[in-house]
Amino acid sequence: MAAPVVEASSSQRLLRGVLVAGYIGFIVLGMTTPAQPRIFWTMLLPLVPLSIVLMGFANWRRICPLAFFGELGRKLNRGTQRRVPKWFERWFFVVIFFVLLSMLVFRLVATNGDGVWLAGLLLGLALAAMTTNWIFTGKTWCNFVCPVGLIERIYTEPRSLPTTPNSQCARCTACKSSCPDIDPENAYWRDLETDGRRFATFAFPGLVLAFYTYFWLREGEWEAYFDGRWTQATVTADLVLGSGFFFAPQVPSLLAAVLTVLAFSGVSYLVFSLIESIVARFVPDEERRRHLMLGSAAFAAFSIFYVFAGAPTLRGITGGTRVMAFTAPLLATLFLVKRTQRTREDFIREKAAAKLLRNWPFDEPPPDDPREVYGWVKAGEHAREQNVAAYASSVREILAEGLVRQGELALLEGIRTQLGISEREHEKVLARLSEEERDLFEPGEHGVEERAQLDGYQAALADALLRQVPETQVLELRRAFGVSPEAHDRILERLRGESGILIERAGRQVEHVRALRLEIAAFVVSEPSDRERFLSYLLLREQDEAFDRVLEFLAAVGPSERVQSLRPRLFGGDEDTRGAAVRQLAEICPSAEPLLVELEPWISQRLPPTSERDPVQQRLVLENRSISSDPYIRAAAVWVAGDRPEAWASEMVTAAEDDPDPLVTDTARRTSAIRRTSESEAPKFSELATIERMIFLGGVSLFADLDPEDLYDLSLFGEEETIAPPAVLCEEGDVEADDLFILLEGRVSVAYKSQKDDAEEAEREVAVLVAGDVVGEMSILDGSPRSATVRPKDGPIRVLRIPGQRFRSRLLSRSRVAQPLLVTLAQRIRNMSRRMADR
């Protein structure tokens, strides 16, 4: 597996914004002031290699302004980019080298001292970055074209001075094999011996020296560079085509500059190649020898650069040249020592140790330091099978990431030795891997870059399927990731298969339901308290949400419309109807049949059967749910615990008083108050804890199907009132009042006016409502006049008044609130119609 994607930090995003703004500012500055070239070339540019070395490859990639412009170009294209040709990828080091060489020649004859030309160059680079990534996928500009990319890799590979995370794209398109953004060191070792890398790195010191030496070759004195006069040389015919060499004035300067950089680069390449052949006598291993020579060339280039870089400005600062003369060699020596001491075996061992930590197979906690892993495993008294399994897992991932190839399996011997794995066990592991994972040995087919691309696409496609996006969006997604139709079909088949990610996610929901059933069963007892009923209601809601998530996954696995059409039968109807719907679902989603077989009894019988009260099991559930992520369940668990006299319950309530959610703290404080005092009479509704009001409202038939969020909002609206005869609760025809009433105590009479003759009207009682009944649901729906007169019957009544306007604005727009109201209203009208007909 590829390393996880690491998002840019807020400080990195801020720094990138500053650099991008500065980059644009220098374009503007070049058009307005002649001082721009000196500031840019002698003050800012010398900081770039230092910044790259000190920050590390990945950190620089995140803040580089040219990388920003390249990313902008990628975003402007909606998924029609293509990969670079194979030859380009093979020789990209040479391509970047000659891009850099061309730009240095351009500096010498144009942009060194002309702000307008320099501004044009900066603008051209930004447009080139945007265009490249508009045409090609991913970070093609950074990886294949940008001249800074060559400097990044020469000075930071195989490891940066600081330890940095990767700079992998969130949407990997596998734009490059051996991608340095996914794993810089892995990329380094994989293409270490390529001819392109060897040429570019060996020639680079000569290219650096050639640029600065040309000032002497043209003018015949070193002061031509060190006094900085070149930063004021605007573009003229003499600068471009004038005397190129002081000893051969007939050679045009443009040709002289080209000849100089080519000659010095060629000599540099030959010198380091000769040194490599000499070193071969002492270091026979070709990979080790190449690694040492690449590090030496980088050291030479860095040291040469800082003999000259920034000198025209540093000479004007007291001690400036001395500081640079000390700092540059120190840094160069540091990264040379760190680089030359590094081996691919070290890298593989560290990667394997990190994988062992990530997939730790033992019961004991792992050590903090990855370097201690091997000794810990080898010295510990662990089961042999666990050691071998850990080794096999590490080897598999190492092969998958292309760290070693089939002919280099001897490199795994170091890991085997560290873990104490015998030769026979090692051979068995490799034999099993080569049989089951033969494709891992195929070069270029399943490298870490392709795996990152396909893994990212698989996750994005799974999300798209869950959202049931149209085919056009799936096609756009495939193009954005650069995935072929054949790879898309394979991933889609894998996603929808029995072992696919969608069925796996559905399986996690089934596991969740299994645990939930045990928790619910603990409170499905004979004569449960109101508190226990409310907790059961919340747990049942969570169970239904898990069922719903399973259905979403299955809609992405099978025919979506057919799966969704079964939803009403799965969540409604009787036990037989729900069971039949589950079986039909298994027929249309065969890959999910094992899960649905397990789910069928739970969906059919939504509530577990009544059992004997088990105090121990209830305590376990309450303690577990008191730390739930759902504040409603936390509050309900604390509320139920408040009924328990044991010390653990008191501790739970006390701990909940510091909960970050106000509902939980309110519940805990109310519980503590009740435990301290005995209330002689029922408190007013406004004096109840929020959770008590929610429980009461949930017991009202009109609100029985509301979600806890709705009950919470509703509990904040109510105001308790006492009404005594002859006052009325509401009067027929009243257009002013539209409040909803819940009868808390007493009885009320519901009457309609009826016309006895031409002139006289009389009231006719059609219903008597009792505590728990609702009055005014018709007016609250649309604010219409009252359809009946409701007055106290047999004495004063207590009601809960819910303002109509607030109810409509906050709750009525929610379908789960409006639907029960409409059902109740229809039932009320039918009942009243029957009563009227009977009379």
Side-chain angles (χ1 to χ4, degrees), residues 30 34 154 195 248 356-357 363 406 445 491 493 551 634 653 658 663 666 754 780 822 826:
I154 287 178
D195 293 334
L356 275 173
L357 285 176
D363 295 332
Q406 192 169 17
E445 289 297 321
I491 290 173
E493 183 178 357
L551 203 62
R634 290 204 305 276
V653 172
D658 296 325
L663 173 65
D666 175 60
S754 60
I780 205 171
L822 294 173

Side-chain angles (χ1 to χ4, degrees), residues 506-584:
R508 288 199 291 266
Q509 293 298 320
V510 173
E511 291 293 328
H512 182 48
V513 171
R514 181 184 293 111
L516 269 173
R517 298 290 290 188
L518 296 175
E519 293 184 326
I520 296 170
F523 294 96
V524 181
V525 296
S526 56
E527 300 182 3
S529 66
D530 289 341
R531 303 184 184 205
E532 291 173 331
R533 287 194 189 95
F534 188 68
L535 179 58
S536 298
Y537 147 80
L538 293 177
L539 295 177
L540 282 171
R541 286 280 172 175
E542 188 174 327
Q543 174 183 278
D544 288 346
E545 289 172 1
F547 289 155
D548 218 9
R549 289 296 293 162
V550 171
L551 203 62
E552 289 179 12
F553 294 130
L554 297 188
V557 169
S560 175
E561 292 184 2
R562 292 184 62 189
V563 171
Q564 294 294 354
S565 68
L566 290 173
R567 193 182 189 285
R569 294 168 54 192
L570 288 166
F571 289 91
D574 56 21
E575 182 176 331
D576 292 337
T577 300
R578 293 195 293 271
V582 175
R583 291 189 291 274
Q584 187 174 349

